[in-house]
Structures are given as C-alpha cells and as structure tokens.
Amino acid sequence: MPDDTVPDNTVPADTVTTDWTADEMMSVAAARLLHDGTVCFVGIGKPSTAANLARRTHAPGVVLIYESGCIGAKPTRLPLSIGDGELATTADSLVSVPEIFRYWLQAGRVDVGFLGAAQLDRYGNINSTVIGDYDSPAVRLPGAGGAPEIAASARDVIVILAHSTRAFVERCDFVTSTGGRVRVVITDLGVLEMGESGELELASVHPGTTVDDVRAATGWDLRVRPPVDQTVPPTAAELAALRDLVAA
Amino acid sequence: MPDDTVPDNTVPADTVTTDWTADEMMSVAAARLLHDGTVCFVGIGKPSTAANLARRTHAPGVVLIYESGCIGAKPTRLPLSIGDGELATTADSLVSVPEIFRYWLQAGRVDVGFLGAAQLDRYGNINSTVIGDYDSPAVRLPGAGGAPEIAASARDVIVILAHSTRAFVERCDFVTSTGGRVRVVITDLGVLEMGESGELELASVHPGTTVDDVRAATGWDLRVRPPVDQTVPPTAAELAALRDLVAA
Amino acid sequence: MSTTPLLPLADAVAAHVHDGDTVALEGFTHLIPHAAGHEIIRQSRRDLTLVRMTPDVVYDQLIGVGCAARLVFSWGGNPGVGSLHRFRDAVEHGWPRPLAIEEHSHAGMAARYVAGASGLPFGMLRGYLGTDLVDHTPSIRTVTCPFTGEELAAVPALRPDVTIIHAQQADRSGNVQLWGIAGVQKEAVLAAERAIVTVEEVVDELTPRPDAVVLPSWVVSAVSVVPDGAHPSYAAGYSERDNDFYSAWDPIARDRAAFTSWIDRHVRGTSDHAGLLAALRTEEALADA
Amino acid sequence: MSTTPLLPLADAVAAHVHDGDTVALEGFTHLIPHAAGHEIIRQSRRDLTLVRMTPDVVYDQLIGVGCAARLVFSWGGNPGVGSLHRFRDAVEHGWPRPLAIEEHSHAGMAARYVAGASGLPFGMLRGYLGTDLVDHTPSIRTVTCPFTGEELAAVPALRPDVTIIHAQQADRSGNVQLWGIAGVQKEAVLAAERAIVTVEEVVDELTPRPDAVVLPSWVVSAVSVVPDGAHPSYAAGYSERDNDFYSAWDPIARDRAAFTSWIDRHVRGTSDHAGLLAALRTEEALADA
C-alpha cells in the first residue's frame, strides 16, 4: 500500500475530543488519508465530506474530481448533488462526462477513488446493484454508476461503509466492482486495511469500540492485524471544520 | 448522383461574361454545386474559395466546416490558413480536431467534401503522398491529411484539379484516398462526372475549350458523355463576388 | 438558411416521439428535461425504451405511469435522497408493467454514446473486468488490441430514435447553446436520429460563453421554449436546483396511489409545464400559509 | 498546493527533452510552439522521434538541422505556400541524415492521441480503407466489431515522452488556459509522459473564457513564459499569424546553405526567443529602409 493512504495516527492527542458521532469519526478518518496533491474521484455523501474536510484542514491542495466533469472543484459548502452549480463554477476545469471517464479516470490520473456500497466482502468486492437474485431481486439498488471503473482505474480505492453483518457479508449477492485496488475500508467502528494476502484486516478500532464489537458486526471471520490501534479521535480543529462544512 | 451536386447550368445566359480566367471558372463551377444547407468540409485554396463564393452568392446558408474545428465559419475574407483566427471567431461552434473528425466527418454529417491532389485516376482515386516509389520518392508530397476519411465519409466528394497528363494519370503512384464517393471533378478545362460504370466521364467543357483539348490533357482514354455541354461561364455577379472575396 | 422549427413542446413531442421509440432524455443533475418527460406522459406514449446514464425522478415518473418497456442505464436513484421507488416497483414487482433492464457502468454508457455520436458501431473501454455485469448484460463483449493483445470491454453504440435535452438558449435559427455541467448531452444529441431541445429562452444572438456547448441548428429537429423546463433540476444562470422537491418526491413515489394521484393532478391535470409549475407553487403557498 | 515549476524555456527543454525522446510539438496553425522548437535546436538534441499531425516550418527546421531520426505525421507542408523543402530533402536524399517516416491520416493521428490520452492501447476509426497507406504503415491494423462484424481500422496509442504546446496564459500555480482553435493539444498533453507549456504571460487568475481549454497544473511538468512564442504562428488575443514569414521560408528552405545560414544566424546565433524576434525585426527594418 502506498504510504500516502496509510491512516495517519500522528494527530496530536492533546487536542482530541470526545463529543463526536460515529459518522463524524468516519469522515475524519477518511479525510486523514488525503494529502496535498492527492487527486480524488469523489461522490456525493461521505466521500465528498471527507475530501472537502481534508481541503479545509491539513490538505488545502487536495484535488477533487466529481464525475459530473468538475476537476479541481472547491465548493464553499457541501454539494447536495454531484451536479451542483458551485462544483462547476469553482472548478479549475469543467469537462464532459465522457471525457472525465476516459481522459481522467481511465487514463490513471486519479490517486484515490471513493466507493460506497450495500455489501462488501473480505476481498473488497462490493455490491451496489441488487440484494437477492438479479432477475427477481429482493431490493433493486441504484446500480453501478462509476464504481466498476473507479475500482479498476483509481490507484487506491477507499470504501466508506457503516458496519453491520448485512453489509459486511461472506459473499456479495452481486459483484458490482472488484476489490483489487481497495486499500482501506472505513466504518463507523474502525478501519480495515487490505492485507498482503488480499483479505481485509482490522487495523484500528474507533475509541469506545472493541475488536469483538467489530468482529460481531462483520459477516465473515475478520482477520485482525495485531496490534490493533485505537483510531485517533477527531481533534477539536477537525470537528470544528467538519461542523462548519456541514452547517454551511 | 444526388441531384444537388449536379452542375447547375441554368444560370441566366444574358449575364455571362468573357473576361475570366480558368482559375475563376473552376471556383465558380465548384461554387454552383453547393446549396443552402449543404454541409461542406473545406480545405484552404480553391475549395475554400468556392464554398465562400457560394455563401456570398446563391447559397447564403451553406455550412462551412474547416478541419481545424470551425463549424459554420463565415469568414469575411478568404482564409490564408485553415487555422485563421477569423474562422474560429465567426464559427457557430468551435470544437477540437479529434471531435471534428469523429463526431462530424466520420459520423456522416458532411454532405460535400472537397479534395485536391497531385494525381487522379479514372476511378477517382487520388494521390497526394509521393511521386515515384514510396521508399525512394522522386517527389515527396505533403501526404494524406484528412483525405482518406473525407473520401470515405463525406456523402459526395468533389475534386478540384487543373488538367494535365501529369495529374490525370492512368494509375496513381500511390492511392492516398479512394474514389468511391467522388461525384465530380472540376478542372481548368471542364467538368467530369462519375459515370454509372464507376469511371469519370467528361460532362462539360468550359467556354473556349474543346473535347479534344480535354482528352489531350488526360492521361487515360477519357470517356465522353454525349452531349457534352458547355459550362456556363461565370456571370457578372459571380465574378464580382469572387473578385471581391479574393481582394478582401 | 436552414432553420430548425420552433414548436410548442406538445407539437415537438407529438412529431418526434412515437410509441416503441428508443428515447434518451439526458442531463447530469443539471439541465434534466423534466418538462419534456411530462409531455410524454400527457401524450401517453407506450412501449418506450428509455435510455439514460442517471435515470432520476422524471424516469421514475415515466416508468411509474407505464410508458416504458425497457430501461438502458447505469445508475438509477434519487440523488442525495435514495431509491427510485417506481423504478424499484417495476423491477421488483412488475408494476404497472414489467420493465426490462439493460445495465451498464457510467463509463460504458458514455462510451456507447460517444460511439453513436462518432458513427462507430461500438465503443471500448478498460472496464467491467471481474464484475457480474458481464454475466447479466449481453451488450458487454470484448475486443482484443491488435497491437498489445490486451482484452478490453466493448459496448455497442447507442443510437436513440430521439434524444431530448434542455438548454439555456437558442437563437432564431435554432442554434442551441448550453453551459455549465454539460454531461453527455452533446453526444446523446449527435448519436440520435432526431433531437428535441427545450430552452429557457430564444435570443437574437448567442453570446459565446465559457464552458459552453453549441449545437448548430442542423443537428436539432425541434426547439421548444419552456422556461424552467428542467425543474426540479436547474439551468445555470436561470434557476436553482429545487432540492426540496427531490426530498418530497420520496414519500410520493413510495406509494402507488400517492404517485398516481400526483401524476393525475400535476401532469395529466395540467396542459403544459407552466400549468404544472403553477400547481406546485399553489401547493407551496398553501403549505406555507 | 501542488504547483508546476515556472522555468526559463532553456531549463525546461534541458530538463524534459532528451536525446532519443519521442517529442510532440503540437499546434494546428494556431499556437504552434516555435520557440520551443528553436530551443531544441540550440541544445542540439539528436535522434528524436518527432510527432505531429501537421509538421510545418518548425519541424522543417528541426529536420533540416538533423535533430530527428523519425517523423510520425499526417500532413507535412507549408500551409498555403507549398512543400517543406528540408523535410523533402531528408526523405528524398537523406540530407542531413535519413528520416524514417510513419505516416497516417489526420483522423488516424487524432485517434492515436485520443487513445494515448485515454489510457487505451489503441484507437479505432472508419478509415484508411482501400488506401496504400495500409501497405506502408505497419501501425495500421484492423479490429472487428464484436456486435456487427464490421472491420475497422485500428491504430496504436501515441504516448510521447514529452509534448510541448504554446498557450496564452498560466496562473502562478501553473494551471494553463488556451483559447481559440485548440487542435489536438489537450490530447497530446494528456497522452505524454511529460508536458512543457510555453505561455504568452502569467496572470494572477485565469478568467474563464469561451472556447477555452484549461489544463490543471498537475498535468503540466513545466511552464515557460515566452511572449510571441508561437511566432510565425499566432496566439489569439496576443498576436497575428505572420503570413509573410511562411512565404519567406520557402526560398530559404529550398537551399541547404541558405537554410543553414538562417539557422546559424537566427537560432544558434541567438540565446533565446526574444533574441530571435529582435533579429527578425532588425532584418525587416533594413528591408523596409
């Protein structure tokens, strides 16, 4: 795994806080993986929150690409949709959707791609297509979107997904995208990293969570990489920036 | 051959003139093949002159596309290069060079493509690559440019080329583009049209020229389509517009 | 001079959208042609194949009333809100009729439109590898690079019978200019047999603008003036995205009866987009009172 | 913040253009990076593979001094004037050294750059069919559509070691904006391993403009300020095309000695582009006197 996506646990501990939510912990943990110059392919929701938080705190030079064609977007508030006007007006360059996928993502210009999912397996494969059988699904999900090619073309993939045995499954009902480039999975309970063996391993637990909590919320026999760190909780500065961003 | 590229010999004869050059006759004869709404893929030189003459006379709605990416250019004077600033500033739409070839030419949106050449054979194949052997040429010419795909993708191709046995040859030294869509060849001596048999036939001679003159300047046994018309000479209005354009 | 007819939207849809057609209403969050979708509902088109990268609320509506037999798409959701419940109901329960689906990724759909706009029979991309989409979507095949031997995904060109988009402006000849996030609309228009463009307004002259796409009149079949014709989507420079509407759509679409009643009142019960917008404004005023 | 180094052109060429490299100086009549070509001559680079759709006067010069071992191109001429005599001399007589050529059509070259910019191993097009190019250019092959069976031309991606372009403006971070006829420059930059951009000026902020291409700093390796760096080509908004120079080039290039003397005086005899332009202006003044 390239160094610059290793979770950064060097945040000064004296500024840590305790009044944060699991959601905030996820955004902060994801933001810490981004650095000045990191080119991120960002979707709406947590990835966008994390990337914008990084841009407002330690990584003002992080480059945000939205699949709507906005390269280097610098929104002042969190976009509600991937096509918000502010993403376009603050972008360094605005291009077509075919171009963003071909010249920018497929060409290997993206360092970090974020994905969410309904299901994830131990290999980092994800499902955002259907729960149940494809031809008569229990739940029809929105579908692939950009996931297959983000998963194939971003140098590193980060998955953000709340922990539960329904989401962290032994086997995805449908493989929407493959796990070959998944490096980190950030959940509301901890952080998983891709191990040498190609299987996700628990690397840190968020404050207040135990390894057993995480294993209980995981639908497969989760490997644990000793020693499991405790995720550094959000600092006061991170929390303030995050809450500013969300309130804007 | 579609009707709208049939040479138009219905120009009122009472306005015809006699003080014109063979060059002017070529431009005028080519301009007459274009109509309102005809989408032309235009190169610099005679094609550009002809298309702009049409636009200034009987066909104000002719659409000029230059391979530099200018769609619907309306220059006030003849461009000296395909990338003259005025082509861009007067265009309805300015696009990239890859786009002009893919979305506009290859997609079949061009009605008339113009080609020049160093050599032409009876089938409409042209050579703009080399005279002599490819690997040790007597004369290295500029090369294909857009010709192969203009010849393959424009609905109708018009070749403009001065008559001589060096140019109108039994066999091209190199086939730069094929003759399948060549409908008309306009020369300084007359107008050739593609016959049913797939061979060019003499359809009209310019005033002052005989069929024998044309045959003598043609390096193969040129078919003649009886009755050979006399090309209507440039009208006073055509000449005035052409000279205005050239002088601007 | 070749000019594109300027038609009322109802006439443009009547002339260019036929039962059984393959229809793409494209827009990427920005400039979604909602008004045209509503007009298709008013005219009760049937058996359409609907194409779009990101089917959202207007496709939920078209599917919910039963206009569509088939959907070709890559992501079908209510952006920032959740599922498309009418789409789900059609796929999961066949209501009001079964909906066949042909499912791609965004990159694959974009490649398909590009191929269509380019007059090529197929597009290629480095994609789909290892995904289950390959097993369920027959229009994903492979092609081998004749130089490197690499195997790439191949997808067939999209060639809609008609593409409909919304733009900011047209001039009197029917040249169209849109600006801001342009998505895949240029390709969708150029890939189609016919194209309808709804615009915010007609102007005497199109002023060149940054980040603009200009479509010459001769690639457009009809232009219809429909102010705020993208609502609840938006047109940069003319309107803001109505995020509340997207949120409000969720409970309406969850319930078959609520949905049908909404369509009857707002779409079938109005004669045009101005009427629909007026009905929405009246409700808002009542809710605020 | 990632910023692109702002370097004197001599330093940028020294750092990024190496003997034996594949180098694309792109420009389509407009924005041709002549100054950079001259700097390559000053630094006596050897064995270059030169790539360009429309090699014109600056490539005639690079070929004439013997910088190039190979040319990949689609049309090599002096636009509106005639032949490139140094190019002809190299191909016809091997002077000053033999020049290998790899010859395509414009559409093929464009497809090759697009493939390079897209990270694909090849591009495809409906082209070359029936032409003798197929027999003489091994990098033209075919690929079969897996849906229709149609055979299409396939061409390998172009991936220059370095692409050099000229643009109107950069900002202080190295973001680049060019406008007007943009040719294939975006693709050529994105296809290359490294990219040098010469600009008319550096500005505090890039103002969005119609028909602009913006390249973010992180795809550019070096920016060099070279006013009128496209001369005798032009930069819309900054300069006019020097049509007289193109005409004047013809007799110079026809003669080996006249050519060498011109290069010695104007390129090797000046230390930078400002010096070259000053030399040309002095000559013009003398000629007018």
Side-chain angles (χ1 to χ4, degrees):
Chain A
M1 190 174 106
D3 277 340
D4 63 355
T5 54
V6 173
D8 180 355
N9 281 318
T10 63
V11 178
D14 57 331
T15 64
V16 303
T17 56
T18 52
D19 64 330
W20 41 267
T21 66
D23 243 36
E24 289 172 334
M25 183 72 253
M26 290 171 83
S27 297
V28 167
R32 289 176 186 159
L33 301 180
L34 308 178
H35 302 277
D36 270 349
T38 305
V39 178
C40 307
F41 203 87
V42 179
I44 294 303
K46 287 245 160 20
S48 175
T49 306
N52 279 292
L53 177 58
R55 195 169 64 75
R56 299 301 196 78
T57 53
H58 63 284
V62 68
V63 178
L64 276 54
I65 298 185
Y66 289 82
E67 68 189 9
S68 49
C70 305
I71 299 173
K74 292 167 278 291
T76 57
R77 50 183 186 177
L78 291 178
L80 289 166
S81 82
I82 214 164
D84 271 23
E86 209 196 11
L87 297 179
T89 55
T90 63
D92 292 326
S93 186
L94 183 60
V95 303
S96 73
V97 164
E99 177 174 329
I100 208 80
F101 282 101
R102 289 191 306 170
Y103 288 5
W104 300 87
L105 178 60
Q106 180 175 269
R109 283 177 238 282
V110 171
D111 298 318
V112 171
F114 283 100
L115 292 175
Q119 294 181 329
L120 168 87
D121 73 15
R122 71 181 72 197
Y123 308 110
N125 299 313
I126 67 165
N127 173 19
S128 53
T129 304
V130 287
I131 302 298
D133 180 62
Y134 186 79
D135 292 314
S136 71
V139 182
R140 173 64 226 195
L141 302 165
E149 288 77 28
I150 293 171
S153 293
R155 192 193 62 202
D156 300 319
V157 173
I158 299 174
V159 179
I160 306 184
L161 183 59
H163 239 112
S164 79
T165 51
R166 279 173 48 189
F168 286 66
V169 294
E170 181 62 40
R171 192 184 158 80
C172 290
D173 291 0
F174 189 97
V175 176
T176 307
S177 75
T178 53
R181 295 179 176 217
V182 171
R183 309 299 181 206
V184 182
V185 177
I186 292 172
T187 85
D188 52 340
L189 301 181
V191 176
L192 284 57
E193 293 178 22
M194 190 58 74
E196 303 272 318
S197 62
E199 203 176 309
L200 290 165
E201 300 172 352
L202 182 60
S204 80
V205 293
H206 298 334
T209 305
T210 67
V211 169
D212 284 346
D213 292 339
V214 179
R215 289 174 54 90
T218 303
W220 71 83
D221 185 17
L222 178 65
R223 289 192 190 193
V224 174
R225 180 192 298 174
V228 174
D229 294 320
Q230 192 186 80
T231 316
V232 175
T235 66
E238 286 169 332
L239 262 192
L242 175 58
R243 289 173 184 177
D244 255 21
L245 200 55
V246 171
Chain B
M1 189 176 109
D3 276 341
D4 63 355
T5 56
V6 173
D8 179 355
N9 281 321
T10 61
V11 177
D14 57 330
T15 65
V16 304
T17 57
T18 52
D19 64 331
W20 42 267
T21 67
D23 243 36
E24 288 172 335
M25 183 72 252
M26 290 172 83
S27 297
V28 166
R32 289 178 187 157
L33 301 181
L34 308 178
H35 301 277
D36 269 349
T38 305
V39 178
C40 306
F41 203 87
V42 180
I44 293 304
K46 287 245 160 18
S48 174
T49 306
N52 278 292
L53 177 58
R55 196 169 64 75
R56 299 299 195 80
T57 53
H58 63 284
V62 67
V63 178
L64 276 55
I65 298 185
Y66 289 82
E67 68 188 10
S68 49
C70 305
I71 299 172
K74 292 167 279 291
T76 58
R77 50 182 188 178
L78 291 179
L80 290 165
S81 82
I82 212 164
D84 271 23
E86 208 194 12
L87 297 179
T89 54
T90 64
D92 291 326
S93 187
L94 182 59
V95 303
S96 73
V97 164
E99 178 174 328
I100 208 80
F101 282 101
R102 289 190 306 168
Y103 289 3
W104 300 88
L105 178 60
Q106 180 175 268
R109 283 177 239 282
V110 171
D111 298 319
V112 172
F114 283 101
L115 292 175
Q119 293 181 329
L120 168 87
D121 72 15
R122 71 180 73 198
Y123 308 110
N125 298 313
I126 67 164
N127 173 18
S128 53
T129 303
V130 287
I131 303 299
D133 179 61
Y134 186 79
D135 292 316
S136 71
V139 182
R140 173 64 226 196
L141 302 165
E149 288 77 28
I150 292 171
S153 293
R155 191 193 61 200
D156 299 319
V157 173
I158 299 173
V159 179
I160 306 185
L161 182 60
H163 239 113
S164 80
T165 51
R166 279 172 48 188
F168 286 66
V169 295
E170 181 62 40
R171 191 184 158 82
C172 289
D173 291 1
F174 189 98
V175 176
T176 308
S177 74
T178 53
R181 294 180 178 216
V182 171
R183 310 297 182 207
V184 182
V185 177
I186 292 172
T187 86
D188 51 341
L189 301 181
V191 175
L192 284 58
E193 294 178 20
M194 189 58 73
E196 302 271 317
S197 63
E199 205 176 309
L200 289 165
E201 299 173 354
L202 182 60
S204 80
V205 292
H206 299 334
T209 305
T210 67
V211 169
D212 284 347
D213 292 339
V214 179
R215 289 173 54 91
T218 303
W220 71 83
D221 184 17
L222 178 64
R223 290 194 189 192
V224 173
R225 180 192 298 174
V228 173
D229 295 319
Q230 192 185 81
T231 316
V232 175
T235 66
E238 286 170 332
L239 262 192
L242 175 57
R243 288 171 185 179
D244 254 21
L245 200 55
V246 170
Chain C
M1 202 61 181
S2 88
T3 53
T4 300
L6 194 65
L7 295 177
L9 178 56
D11 296 355
V13 167
H16 294 294
V17 183
H18 313 128
D19 286 350
D21 273 357
T22 296
V23 183
L25 285 81
E26 269 297 346
F28 211 83
T29 309
H30 181 218
L31 293 176
I32 299 166
H34 277 260
H38 295 150
E39 188 55 36
I40 291 171
I41 294 173
R42 282 190 199 98
Q43 297 190 18
S44 302
R45 288 290 172 283
R46 304 289 300 175
D47 300 325
L48 303 179
T49 291
L50 292 178
V51 180
R52 186 159 157 216
M53 290 182 65
T54 52
D56 73 338
V57 166
V58 68
Y59 272 43
D60 212 28
Q61 294 167 350
L62 285 158
I63 291 164
V65 300
C67 288
R70 184 178 169 81
L71 178 69
V72 181
F73 77 111
S74 40
W75 189 87
N78 185 341
V81 178
S83 288
L84 294 179
H85 299 288
R86 296 296 93 227
F87 161 62
R88 281 188 56 181
D89 204 7
V91 173
E92 293 171 13
H93 310 112
W95 191 92
R97 55 176 292 178
L99 180 72
I101 58 174
E102 178 179 346
E103 189 166 4
H104 282 265
S105 66
H106 278 353
M109 285 291 283
R112 297 187 66 186
Y113 275 123
V114 168
S118 302
L120 290 173
F122 75 106
M124 63 173 160
L125 65 154
R126 191 173 288 114
Y128 296 110
L129 200 69
T131 75
D132 286 345
L133 284 167
V134 176
D135 302 323
H136 292 92
T137 304
S139 55
I140 302 169
R141 297 188 185 170
T142 59
V143 67
T144 303
C145 173
F147 301 97
T148 65
E150 182 182 351
E151 200 169 83
L152 297 154
V155 287
L158 276 171
R159 303 193 190 283
D161 294 307
V162 57
T163 286
I164 309 180
I165 66 167
H166 185 71
Q168 282 96 337
Q169 296 178 341
D171 67 16
R172 297 190 191 283
S173 304
N175 299 300
V176 168
Q177 181 167 247
L178 59 92
W179 63 85
I181 291 169
V184 73
Q185 283 100 300
K186 180 186 238 181
E187 288 75 14
V189 165
L190 295 181
E193 186 68 28
R194 303 180 295 279
I196 301 174
V197 183
T198 57
V199 296
E200 292 289 329
E201 61 171 336
V202 168
V203 296
D204 288 334
E205 197 172 349
L206 297 173
T207 307
R209 284 182 165 268
D211 297 321
V213 168
V214 177
L215 296 167
S217 60
W218 48 278
V219 300
V220 176
S221 314
V223 169
S224 301
V225 179
V226 187
D228 208 7
H231 179 273
S233 171
Y234 73 107
Y238 287 83
S239 58
E240 298 280 331
R241 188 168 190 266
D242 187 351
N243 291 308
D244 292 342
F245 184 94
Y246 283 91
S247 299
W249 182 251
D250 190 79
I252 296 166
R254 277 180 193 272
D255 183 78
R256 291 177 184 174
F259 165 77
T260 302
S261 148
W262 190 93
I263 292 287
D264 283 346
R265 177 185 171 90
H266 298 85
V267 182
R268 294 202 181 103
T270 58
S271 60
D272 60 15
H273 194 60
L276 181 148
L277 293 176
L280 290 176
R281 273 194 303 270
T282 305
E283 283 165 25
E284 256 177 57
L286 287 174
D288 290 349
Chain D
M1 204 56 184
S2 88
T3 55
T4 300
L6 194 65
L7 295 177
L9 178 56
D11 296 356
V13 167
H16 294 294
V17 183
H18 314 127
D19 287 351
D21 272 358
T22 296
V23 183
L25 285 81
E26 269 297 346
F28 211 83
T29 309
H30 181 218
L31 293 177
I32 299 166
H34 277 260
H38 295 149
E39 188 54 36
I40 291 172
I41 294 174
R42 283 191 198 97
Q43 297 191 19
S44 303
R45 288 291 172 282
R46 304 289 301 174
D47 300 325
L48 302 179
T49 291
L50 292 178
V51 180
R52 188 160 154 214
M53 290 183 64
T54 52
D56 74 339
V57 167
V58 70
Y59 272 45
D60 211 30
Q61 295 168 349
L62 284 158
I63 291 165
V65 300
C67 288
R70 182 178 171 79
L71 178 68
V72 181
F73 77 112
S74 40
W75 189 88
N78 185 341
V81 178
S83 287
L84 294 180
H85 301 288
R86 296 296 93 228
F87 160 62
R88 281 189 55 182
D89 203 9
V91 173
E92 293 170 13
H93 310 113
W95 191 93
R97 55 175 292 177
L99 181 72
I101 57 174
E102 178 179 345
E103 189 166 4
H104 282 266
S105 66
H106 278 351
M109 285 291 282
R112 298 186 66 186
Y113 276 124
V114 168
S118 303
L120 289 173
F122 75 106
M124 63 172 161
L125 64 155
R126 190 172 288 115
Y128 297 110
L129 200 69
T131 76
D132 286 346
L133 284 167
V134 175
D135 303 323
H136 292 91
T137 304
S139 54
I140 302 169
R141 298 187 184 170
T142 59
V143 67
T144 302
C145 173
F147 301 97
T148 64
E150 181 181 352
E151 199 169 84
L152 297 153
V155 287
L158 276 171
R159 302 192 190 284
D161 293 308
V162 57
T163 286
I164 308 181
I165 66 167
H166 185 71
Q168 282 96 338
Q169 297 178 338
D171 67 15
R172 297 189 192 286
S173 303
N175 298 299
V176 167
Q177 181 166 248
L178 59 93
W179 62 87
I181 291 170
V184 73
Q185 283 101 301
K186 179 185 239 181
E187 287 76 13
V189 164
L190 295 180
E193 185 69 27
R194 304 180 295 280
I196 300 173
V197 183
T198 57
V199 296
E200 292 290 329
E201 62 170 335
V202 168
V203 296
D204 287 334
E205 198 171 349
L206 298 173
T207 307
R209 284 182 166 268
D211 297 321
V213 169
V214 176
L215 296 167
S217 60
W218 48 278
V219 300
V220 176
S221 313
V223 169
S224 300
V225 178
V226 187
D228 208 8
H231 179 274
S233 170
Y234 74 107
Y238 287 83
S239 58
E240 297 282 332
R241 189 168 189 265
D242 186 351
N243 291 308
D244 292 342
F245 185 94
Y246 282 92
S247 299
W249 183 251
D250 189 80
I252 297 167
R254 277 181 192 271
D255 182 79
R256 291 176 184 175
F259 165 76
T260 303
S261 148
W262 191 93
I263 292 286
D264 282 346
R265 179 185 168 90
H266 298 85
V267 182
R268 294 202 182 101
T270 57
S271 60
D272 59 14
H273 193 61
L276 182 148
L277 292 176
L280 290 176
R281 271 194 305 270
T282 305
E283 283 165 25
E284 255 176 57
L286 287 173
D288 290 348

